[in-house]
Amino acid sequence: MNRHALLIVAALLSTPCLAGQAAPKADAGTTVQAARPGKAAIASSHQLATDAGLEVLAKGGNAFDAAIAVGATLAVIEPQSSGIGGGGFFLLHRADNGKNVFLDARERAPVESRSELWADAEGKLDKDKSVNGPLSAGIPGEPAAYVWLAEHYGKLPLAGSLAPAIRIAREGFPVYPRLHMSIERRKPVFTRWPASAKLYLIDGNAPATASVWKNPDIADTLERIAKQGNEGFYKGEFAARMVDAVRAAGGIWSLADLSDYTVKERDPISLDYRGWRIVTSPPVSSGGIALGEMFNILAGYDLGKYDRVHRIHFNIEAMRRAYRDRAEYLGDPDYVKMPVAELLSPLYAAGLRASIHPDKATPSDMLPGYMPPAESEHTTHYSIIDADGNMASVTKTVNLTLGSGFVVEGTGFVLNDEMDDFALLPGQPNAFGLVGGDANAPKPGHRPLSSMTPSFVIGNDRVGVIGTPGGSRIITMVFEGILAFIDGELPAQVVAKPRYHHQYLPDVVSAEPKAFTPEESKALQAMGHIVNNAERTWGLMNMVSWDRKSNTLHAGSDPREEMSSGKVQ
Ligand code: DON
């Protein structure tokens, strides 16, 4: 088939509305579990956070209380990745009724948002404004998530679940290398605002590795939230203080933006793949739809008949096609109409599969459209199963390293720079090459499109809770992790596994060291793949699992980060 013909076929095949009638796949995904684990498993990016979760479980809390404790502790000790000034997604499984719920605590665009604010004099995206300072900050969702979790899912009062984080903030904790390096990297931005420099720098430098770092301001902020709930953050004196500081430094937050913020409960996306149910993230995450397309494409192959190189080839081709669709159709589900059922339909996947040559890479420029996704380096994921079988899969973020770098005096936390996940100016790439259009424009109240993909993998005997940071690579990491888990690997093996990634554009397979043998690389190159071997490592995957047959729990934390910690207790 010549290039032109392939383009036309691919265009037809990849138009979801032409793919036929399909049963909608987004549902509440009820699952029934046979027994309770009797013990708990937690994996997070830092031992203090994992221990905070276990402490709250020991006090009589459940997985949802532990999700607050781990999350708030990470907000204190891992500010480079997530925090009170950011947002996230909380995928929850309740053992008592088998229900799965996706709690969307994503940031929202302030009502005064309009694209021109992020343009320079020539109409080009002003990249400083989109990632640094208060104009880059959306309205935070993380505080509201904790209040919601405690009110609707937890067994303990919010103060009980926040207690470990508050204590650690007051008593201090040893600075670890990744934190030190992150603060050092953001030093030039912190020095622009006295409150930021005061919180993060000592005599103009990042706190030394192994020195004890305290943050009494965030302890006060968390205590206020514990006592007053949403009122203590989104309303009253504290809200006014944030709005005044943001506006004085050039931002556009208003009191109404804060008081109007609410988390949203959404139905997760549920996918069936070879007898397994995957419960995952719906829009405003792009992850669940991309995973759905990839698994649906793979489901049509008799994979047992193929060698490892061909299986990798099919995975890469599935990634390429899913990422092409990723940003074209997706945005905030409260405002943007999306062809979710069509994108998740097996018929649509069959069309995509038909365009995959069994032995040859499809050059990305033969597929229609152009939509490379964002990538960035900080965010955090943790996974929890409690003794009753409740589960929490949480990915949360302030977007880039230490978010916007902007701190409101005395609050103890940095505001996110999540506005950069919008297509701030149509067709102009953001800091990570993302271009987008109207579906992901920074309109008042909208949530920016995300790649974060907290997920559950549910089989007859084994259940996994999985997720990772890693920007656009999150989705392929979760994809490969789920495949490895389905193949029988334990969490410790799944999270350590070398990764590879293709995101449609650039048309390159990124591979971690040891992802492919030299022979496999050669074979993939012979098929036409451009393989970028040993490019770097990425991700910080934390996974727990429960084998219901043997009633054993497992926790795996990513060996790429020395502080990460998975425990069963
Ligand atoms: O929501 C998103 O997709 C991004 N803000 C996530 C950023 C991220 O994962 C950076 N990670 N290492």
Side-chain angles (χ1 to χ4, degrees), residues 100-121:
N100 300 308
V101 170
F102 181 82
L103 186 64
D104 172 348
R106 184 73 162 159
E107 297 87 340
R108 291 181 80 193
V111 289
E112 288 175 37
S113 300
R114 52 199 163 83
S115 293
E116 305 85 79
L117 292 174
W118 292 275
D120 65 16

Side-chain angles (χ1 to χ4, degrees), residues 534-550:
E535 185 187 87
R536 60 182 174 93
T537 63
W538 57 85
L540 207 175
M541 181 176 278
N542 291 304
M543 180 180 190
V544 295
S545 73
W546 174 28
D547 186 329
R548 286 185 282 203
K549 220 171 175 184
S550 60

Side-chain angles (χ1 to χ4, degrees), residues 106 376-379 397 399 418 421 450-452 469-471 474:
R106 184 73 162 159
S376 51
E377 287 306 329
H378 287 277
T379 291
T397 189
N399 197 24
E418 213 69 69
D421 276 354
S450 174
S451 298
M452 296 186 291
I474 289 172

Side-chain angles (χ1 to χ4, degrees), residues 213-509:
W213 194 60
K214 296 182 188 179
N215 185 347
D217 287 345
I218 203 171
D220 292 346
T221 297
L222 291 170
E223 259 167 14
R224 190 176 308 102
I225 296 167
K227 282 200 193 102
Q228 300 172 31
N230 285 328
E231 302 276 322
F233 185 91
Y234 293 95
K235 291 186 178 156
E237 183 275 327
F238 192 77
R241 190 148 40 108
M242 289 196 288
V243 168
D244 287 348
V246 160
R247 295 190 82 89
I252 53 169
W253 287 17
S254 69
L255 287 174
D257 286 322
L258 284 162
S259 61
D260 286 352
Y261 185 87
T262 48
V263 293
K264 291 275 170 110
E265 284 207 356
R266 305 192 191 278
D267 288 342
I269 285 177
S270 293
L271 314 160
D272 291 316
Y273 177 70
R274 298 187 198 279
W276 292 75
R277 172 149 277 213
I278 295 150
V279 179
T280 185
S281 305
V284 71
S285 168
S286 56
I289 291 183
L291 281 183
E293 286 192 37
M294 293 192 283
F295 283 117
N296 283 345
I297 290 172
L298 281 196
Y301 290 109
D302 186 356
L303 290 176
K305 278 208 207 139
Y306 293 94
D307 60 18
R308 189 174 128 85
V309 168
H310 278 85
R311 292 201 304 269
I312 293 169
H313 167 68
F314 294 143
N315 288 353
I316 294 168
E317 292 302 324
M319 290 173 187
R320 185 198 309 278
R321 284 155 179 80
Y323 273 74
R324 192 206 70 83
D325 286 347
R326 172 191 176 273
E328 181 155 347
Y329 297 105
L330 306 183
D332 184 339
D334 291 338
Y335 301 92
V336 178
K337 235 173 126 34
M338 290 171 281
V340 171
E342 288 85 348
L343 288 169
L344 291 175
S345 113
L347 277 177
Y348 177 56
L352 294 177
R353 197 183 313 111
S355 70
I356 297 176
H357 190 291
D359 302 305
K360 279 200 179 79
T362 311
S364 284
D365 64 6
M366 282 193 164
L367 300 179
Y370 174 85
M371 208 63 69
E375 193 205 334
S376 51
E377 287 306 329
H378 287 277
T379 291
T380 202
H381 177 86
Y382 54 97
S383 297
I384 302 175
I385 300 177
D386 73 14
D388 289 322
N390 296 304
M391 307 194 286
S393 185
V394 181
T395 314
K396 63 191 194 93
T397 189
V398 285
N399 197 24
L400 310 188
T401 306
L402 282 151
S404 66
F406 183 79
V407 173
V408 177
E409 171 74 36
T411 58
F413 60 87
V414 82
L415 301 185
N416 68 82
D417 55 358
E418 213 69 69
M419 295 301 287
D420 195 60
D421 276 354
F422 281 115
L424 287 173
L425 292 175
Q428 295 198 30
N430 74 353
F432 311 103
L434 177 75
V435 290
D438 200 52
N440 190 30
K443 296 185 188 168
H446 285 220
R447 289 158 145 91
L449 189 62
S450 174
S451 298
M452 296 186 291
T453 315
S455 302
F456 301 142
V457 201
I458 301 164
N460 290 333
D461 300 330
R462 292 182 298 125
V463 177
V465 181
I466 188 168
T468 180
S472 65
R473 294 174 190 225
I474 289 172
I475 304 168
T476 54
M477 282 187 264
V478 171
F479 175 63
E480 289 164 55
I482 290 173
L483 288 175
F485 183 67
I486 287 176
D487 281 348
E489 293 189 18
L490 291 172
Q493 297 167 291
V494 171
V495 300
K497 223 176 163 58
R499 299 162 180 149
Y500 56 92
H501 171 78
H502 194 293
Q503 60 177 43
Y504 170 54
L505 291 171
D507 190 353
V508 170
V509 184

Side-chain angles (χ1 to χ4, degrees), residues 78 186 200 256 294 333 336 389 561 563:
E78 198 192 33
R186 293 294 268 157
Y200 289 112
M294 293 192 283
V336 178
E561 163 54 36
M563 301 309 293

